[in-house]
Amino acid sequence: MNINLNVYWNKRAEYAALYLVDELLADAVCTLSRILYTLECKEIGSKVQATQYALHTLPAHWHSILTDALQIRQGEKRKIGLVSRWRRAKETQAFIRFIIQHCNNRHMLTSIKA
């Protein structure tokens, strides 16, 4: 998990434009929620289960992006303007960075730079 977070996801956090695509946004948020769930609950859950867990345990600031990811993952499509889409992509980027830092601090992972 350490390499996954601190190398793979750290690199993916550099490119907010990736998260303009709904499916990439949902995959990132749900996967990082699953990593968090696995570290905190010591078991592997589904991405939906893990994202619901994150929705109930992370600060309210992240609830919007978690809810959007769940809706996308469950096939709920809605129109969203470019400005809002860009804001949501930047929020996804911030969420990735938050989860990396949170997991590194809380679970004493070693920050690795590729």
Side-chain angles (χ1 to χ4, degrees), residues 3-22:
I3 292 172
N4 193 0
L5 274 174
N6 288 298
V7 177
Y8 179 80
W9 284 107
N10 198 37
K11 188 73 169 166
R12 302 264 307 182
E14 294 177 19
Y15 306 103
L18 288 172
Y19 309 110
L20 292 170
V21 177
D22 284 351

Side-chain angles (χ1 to χ4, degrees), residues 20-26 67-80 85 88:
L20 292 170
V21 177
D22 284 351
E23 290 75 15
L24 294 178
L25 178 150
T67 300
D68 280 358
L70 279 172
Q71 289 174 342
I72 293 165
R73 182 135 182 106
Q74 295 172 335
E76 297 176 30
K77 300 280 184 177
R78 57 183 159 61
K79 291 200 180 264
I80 181 170
R85 187 171 292 277
R88 191 176 68 170

